[in-house]
Amino acid sequence: VAFEWINSVNELTKLFENSKPIEIPKGKIIVFEGHEVNKIYLIKEGYVKVYTVVGANTQRILFIYRPNDVFPLTTILSGHKVARFYYETMTPTTLLHITPRQLEHKLLNNLPLAEEIIGYTSYLDRQFLERVNNMVSNKEAFSKLRSLLFFLCNRTGTNGNFVRLDLPLNSSVLASMSGITTKEAFRLLKLLKTEKVITQNDGFNIDIRKLLKSKVA
Amino acid sequence: MNQSQNTIQIFLSPSGFIELHYEGAPTNKEIAESFKKLSQLTKKQSKDNKPILLLVDVRNVGKYDFLSHESKETKLAAVKAMKETRFERAAIFGPTHLQVLVATLALVTNKRDKVRVFDNRILASRWLLNG
């Protein structure tokens, strides 16, 4: 990752220094699609998924925000003004927040902060587009799942050849995130476990080298 | 001699807008020159007692590295132009990442009420006309 924000204290995260942490349980929607956005959040702990509803009880997860991520900045700073997706906690999550007014006040005559925000939103946009392109261009179920696993490793995992994901993952969640059926996800997950690409003791662990070579179908 | 793939056009539209069209990957020098030309046109409009309404089309700007040294200079030039150019309203339309860039710089220069970003030309023109 060329532009790493995790664990880096920067101008953007400093904006939230005086904010009071809010504890949010797992599965709570923080931002609703179509609603005007009136808060900017920084994730202190936990994960937030971004999704759109594609059918009855079916959601398509497009992105995941991790600790130290700030959202939804693009909505606030673009012409959209209203949220285009749902934002929901995937785990118990601690958030800090400021208002758009506070951000505007801090940005006044502050080009270094502006540069950081522009760079950060650009970095997130690139990841978001890459994710959406992969979802559209990959036709086979395994390609979809593999591309999702790489995305999850990049967004939420630890570094190295063995990546541990701290997300509540199962066949159903992976199916929703990759756009394949739960049945397919269950079958592929089973095969990946047999090949020791994935181990599921004490979290979800992925052997990146094996995943790269894997030809499960 | 190689022809540049980048173009910047500045002209007065029949609606009375000063239109700026950016395409490709203009250099800092080209962008700085476009701001000079913009300044000349705004002076002309001002002299003719006409409102200075800017319609900026960035739909066809190419890949842009927001973290490069060059981009920093471009942002500085844009901030300078936003501060020094006299205008009533400026509407910019194009992709989301450029909307974010312009909107953020508008906040830095305290031009939030005068500069708006849009997804398309129609919405941008409507805001310029109606405020």
Side-chain angles (χ1 to χ4, degrees), chain A residues 77 79 104 109 115 118 122, chain B residues 66 72 75 99 103 108 112:
Chain A
L77 292 168
E104 286 168 18
N109 296 318
E115 285 227 275
I118 291 163
S122 160
Chain B
F66 284 95
K72 187 169 186 170
K75 280 175 240 162
Q99 288 183 30
V108 172
R112 179 175 162 267

Side-chain angles (χ1 to χ4, degrees), chain A residues 114-173:
Chain A
E115 285 227 275
E116 197 172 289
I117 288 174
I118 291 163
Y120 175 64
T121 51
S122 160
Y123 157 76
L124 284 184
D125 269 2
R126 274 202 303 270
Q127 287 206 340
F128 186 87
L129 283 177
E130 194 181 328
R131 162 99 177 107
V132 172
N133 285 340
N134 281 335
M135 285 173 83
V136 174
S137 61
N138 289 326
K139 301 293 177 204
E140 287 176 64
F142 180 63
S143 305
K144 283 175 189 267
L145 183 65
R146 184 158 70 171
S147 130
L148 168 71
L149 291 172
F150 280 126
F151 166 75
L152 290 175
C153 290
N154 186 25
R155 279 263 84 208
T156 68
T158 49
N159 292 323
N161 290 324
F162 295 94
V163 175
R164 185 171 182 277
L165 303 178
D166 281 326
L167 290 170
L169 297 173
N170 55 39
S171 309
S172 169
V173 174

Side-chain angles (χ1 to χ4, degrees), chain A residues 3 74 77-80 84 101 104 107-111 114-115 117-119 121-122 125, chain B residues 66-67 72 75-76 79 83 96-97 99-101 103-105 107-110 112 117 119:
Chain A
F3 199 70
T74 302
L77 292 168
S78 68
H80 302 115
R84 286 174 292 170
R101 276 272 174 213
E104 286 168 18
L107 267 169
L108 191 60
N109 296 318
N110 191 344
L111 191 56
E115 285 227 275
I117 288 174
I118 291 163
T121 51
S122 160
D125 269 2
Chain B
F66 284 95
L67 305 171
K72 187 169 186 170
K75 280 175 240 162
L76 277 170
V79 163
K83 279 184 176 170
T96 304
H97 64 284
Q99 288 183 30
V100 170
L101 168 73
T104 307
L105 296 182
L107 291 172
V108 172
T109 54
N110 204 16
R112 179 175 162 267
V117 290
D119 286 337

Side-chain angles (χ1 to χ4, degrees), chain A residues 14-75:
Chain A
K14 275 184 197 164
L15 296 183
F16 296 83
E17 273 175 356
N18 298 322
S19 165
K20 197 179 161 196
I22 326 163
E23 311 281 340
I24 315 255
K26 175 188 166 183
K28 187 165 167 62
I29 299 176
I30 304 157
V31 179
F32 284 81
E33 179 190 65
H35 283 206
E36 198 162 325
V37 176
N38 54 18
K39 286 191 180 78
I40 302 164
Y41 298 95
L42 168 80
I43 302 177
K44 215 168 151 50
E45 277 176 50
Y47 293 93
V48 170
K49 64 181 176 182
V50 180
Y51 65 91
T52 183
V53 172
V54 290
N57 299 319
T58 316
Q59 49 181 242
R60 180 64 34 82
I61 300 171
L62 303 168
F63 205 72
I64 292 174
Y65 284 105
R66 63 191 177 195
N68 265 13
D69 269 336
V70 178
F71 67 92
L73 267 180
T74 302
T75 306

Side-chain angles (χ1 to χ4, degrees), chain B:
Chain B
M1 201 173 109
N2 287 336
Q3 282 287 311
S4 168
Q5 296 289 307
N6 312 318
T7 58
I8 302 177
Q9 295 184 57
I10 305 176
F11 56 95
L12 263 176
S13 78
S15 304
F17 303 149
I18 298 176
E19 293 211 19
L20 294 96
H21 292 198
Y22 292 91
E23 288 182 23
T27 62
N28 281 331
K29 197 180 167 194
E30 288 168 326
I31 291 171
E33 277 168 15
S34 76
F35 291 149
K36 268 188 204 163
K37 199 171 171 194
L38 170 65
S39 176
Q40 288 164 6
L41 271 176
T42 58
K43 278 176 192 157
K44 185 184 176 301
Q45 286 289 87
S46 196
K47 202 176 160 191
D48 296 343
N49 280 326
K50 289 182 177 163
I52 300 165
L53 304 170
L54 312 179
L55 184 62
V56 187
D57 180 349
V58 292
R59 281 174 304 173
N60 298 314
V61 169
K63 261 192 173 178
Y64 190 79
D65 180 3
F66 284 95
L67 305 171
S68 67
H69 178 69
E70 183 143 280
S71 89
K72 187 169 186 170
E73 286 183 15
T74 309
K75 280 175 240 162
L76 277 170
V79 163
K80 191 169 180 278
M82 272 192 202
K83 279 184 176 170
E84 292 176 359
T85 309
R86 289 183 60 191
F87 58 94
E88 268 75 52
R89 286 188 290 283
I92 293 91
F93 62 101
T96 304
H97 64 284
L98 291 175
Q99 288 183 30
V100 170
L101 168 73
V102 173
T104 307
L105 296 182
L107 291 172
V108 172
T109 54
N110 204 16
K111 299 273 182 177
R112 179 175 162 267
D113 296 329
K114 288 187 167 189
V115 178
R116 291 276 167 89
V117 290
F118 299 90
D119 286 337
N120 64 59
R121 184 184 173 94
I122 304 293
L123 292 172
S125 304
R126 194 171 67 183
W127 178 72
L128 280 183
L129 291 169
N130 301 324

